[in-house]
Amino acid sequence: MRKNIMLTVLYTANDGYLPYLGISLVSLLQNNPEEQVRVYAVLSEAKKDNLDKLNSIRTRYSNLDLRIIDGAPYIARMKKLKMIQYRQTFVPNLRLFFTEYIDRDVDRLLYLDSDTLVVGSLHELFAMDMGGNCVGVVLDSLTGAYKHRLGYREEEPYFNSGVLLIDVAQWNRCHCTEELFRMIERGDNIHANPDQDCLNLLLHEKIQVLPPEFNLQPHHMCLPDSTYFSCYARRGYYTEQQLRHAVENPVIIHAYRFLGDFCWHEENLHPASMYYEKYKELSPWREQPQQPAKKNLTFRLEKLAYRCLPTKWYFKMWCWMQQRYFAQQDNKNRRKIHEMV
C-alpha cells in the first residue's frame, strides 16, 4: 500500500520573482494532491498585492501548510559577511540559512528555484534512498570547460543547484552549514556562479546524483542529444537514454533563461512555455501580463541565430559565448573581492 509522506519544500524570492514562485507552487500542488505539503517561502521586500495572492493559495489547497519568512535579517548578515551577489541580488543565498528557519521535525527538504515547474509526482523523490549523502542533485547541463576553472576533472560531477534534495540530519552531521560559512569567509565564493559553485565545492563528495527528470533543463527539451554532445563531453554526464526518458517523463522542469528570456517574457521561444502558461492560468497571477523581453543586441542576435542557423552551428556559437561569459564573471568577482580586502 502506498504510504503518504510529507513534502517539505523551500523557495526564496524577492517581490519581482514572487509571482513565479507562486506559479511554481501551484504546479507542485496540482501534481501532488495526495501528499501533505509544507512550504517555506523566504521572501525579500514582498509587496502586499503579491503576498495576498500567495496567501490565497492556502484556501484552494487543503493539503498546503505555508510558512512565510522575512529574508531581511539574513540579507543583512550576508552584507556583513561580504558575500558575492548573483545577478545583483542576495536572494539565491537565502537558502544557505535553511537550518535556522525550518522546523526541527524536517528530515528531508527540497529546495526549488522560483523558475521551476513541478509537472509530476514528488513521492518517488522524497522516498528515494540517498545512500547516506547530504544532498540529491541533478548534473548541470552547461558546464563544459567551466569545470576546469573549479579544478574538476572532466568525469567529476558538477551539479545545478536550482533543485536540491537535502537530507537535513546528514547535512547537520557533516557540519555543512559551518563549513559553508567558513568557505565564504575565506573568499571561496568568487566564481561566476557564486552560490552554486560554493555548494559544489562544499558538497563534492557528499552528493547523490538524481535522474535528470528531477531538474530537466531547457537545452535538453529542444536540442537533439547528438547536438548537445557535439559541444559537451559525455564523461561525467547522463546517457542519451537517461536524457530521452527525462524529456518524455519530466517531474521538475527548470525553466531558467533560454535565448535570454524566461517563460514570462514577450515573444519568448522558451521550450517550457506551454507548461508555464498552463499553471499560470490556474494561479492567482493569471491576469499578469507578459514582461518585456530584453532588447539588447546580444540577445537579439542570439534569437536570430537560433531561428536561422542549423541547430548544431547555433549551439556551438552559444557554448562559446557562455564560456566567455563565465570567464568574464570570474574575473569581475575576483576584482570585487580584491577591492573589499
Side-chain angles (χ1 to χ4, degrees), residues 172 258 282 337:
N172 290 333
F258 179 77
L282 296 171
I337 290 291

Side-chain angles (χ1 to χ4, degrees), residues 91-215:
V91 168
N93 290 323
L94 288 169
R95 59 185 159 168
L96 305 181
F97 295 84
F98 75 88
T99 56
E100 298 188 23
Y101 49 71
I102 64 169
D103 293 274
R104 291 179 179 270
D105 64 344
V106 177
D107 297 318
R108 188 166 286 195
L109 179 69
L110 178 64
Y111 167 77
L112 295 174
D113 273 358
S114 54
D115 58 1
T116 55
L117 296 163
V118 180
V119 299
S121 169
L122 296 179
H123 186 94
E124 177 189 345
L125 184 63
F126 272 80
M128 186 179 294
D129 180 6
M130 290 177 61
N133 291 295
C134 295
V135 180
V137 292
V138 172
L139 302 177
D140 195 273
S141 64
L142 303 176
T143 52
Y146 186 69
K147 280 186 182 182
H148 299 294
R149 301 184 71 83
L150 299 178
Y152 282 32
R153 297 187 304 275
E154 185 179 277
E155 66 273 15
E156 290 184 287
Y158 175 91
F159 61 84
N160 181 284
S161 65
V163 177
L164 300 170
L165 181 66
I166 304 168
D167 182 322
V168 177
Q170 189 66 10
W171 176 282
N172 290 333
R173 277 193 290 271
C174 293
H175 305 288
C176 291
T177 298
E178 295 87 342
E179 181 56 32
L180 184 64
F181 284 100
R182 280 195 288 270
M183 290 175 67
I184 291 168
E185 287 171 358
R186 293 195 303 264
D188 288 348
N189 62 327
I190 58 175
H191 303 284
N193 300 299
D195 55 318
Q196 179 165 293
D197 292 343
C198 202
L199 286 167
N200 266 275
L201 292 166
L202 170 70
L203 301 168
H204 188 53
E205 297 180 351
K206 304 180 181 72
I207 63 171
Q208 176 69 33
V209 177
L210 304 174
E213 55 263 32
F214 292 112
N215 185 349

Side-chain angles (χ1 to χ4, degrees), residues 18-19 21-27 29 50-64 66 282-285:
L18 211 163
L21 181 162
I23 293 166
S24 178
L25 175 56
V26 167
S27 73
L29 294 164
N50 278 328
L51 275 176
D52 288 346
K53 288 177 179 177
L54 183 64
N55 276 307
S56 74
I57 297 175
R58 302 175 198 256
T59 63
R60 294 178 48 199
Y61 298 94
S62 60
N63 61 331
L64 172 63
L66 177 62
L282 296 171
S283 81
W285 290 272

Side-chain angles (χ1 to χ4, degrees), residues 12-19 21 41-52 54 68-76 79 85 88-91 94:
T12 66
N14 57 23
D15 189 70
Y17 275 76
L18 211 163
L21 181 162
V42 189
L43 307 178
S44 171
E45 301 179 337
K47 296 178 182 176
K48 185 177 184 302
D49 179 57
N50 278 328
L51 275 176
D52 288 346
L54 183 64
I68 296 175
I69 298 164
D70 181 12
Y74 304 105
I75 289 177
K79 291 177 180 177
Q85 298 183 61
Q88 291 76 55
T89 179
F90 286 109
V91 168
L94 288 169

Side-chain angles (χ1 to χ4, degrees), residues 82 331-341:
K82 298 181 179 178
N331 294 333
K332 182 178 178 181
N333 288 340
R334 288 176 191 278
R335 286 196 298 271
K336 281 185 182 178
I337 290 291
H338 181 73
E339 290 166 2
M340 289 176 181
V341 173

Side-chain angles (χ1 to χ4, degrees), residues 249-286:
N249 303 276
V251 178
I252 301 172
I253 295 173
H254 194 173
Y256 55 64
R257 285 185 187 273
F258 179 77
L259 300 177
D261 292 336
F262 287 106
C263 297
W264 51 82
H265 283 131
E266 294 172 343
E267 300 178 356
N268 74 80
L269 299 173
H270 204 291
S273 288
M274 177 181 66
Y275 293 96
Y276 170 78
E277 292 298 333
K278 174 182 177 180
Y279 295 108
K280 178 188 174 186
E281 188 61 28
L282 296 171
S283 81
W285 290 272
R286 65 182 64 87

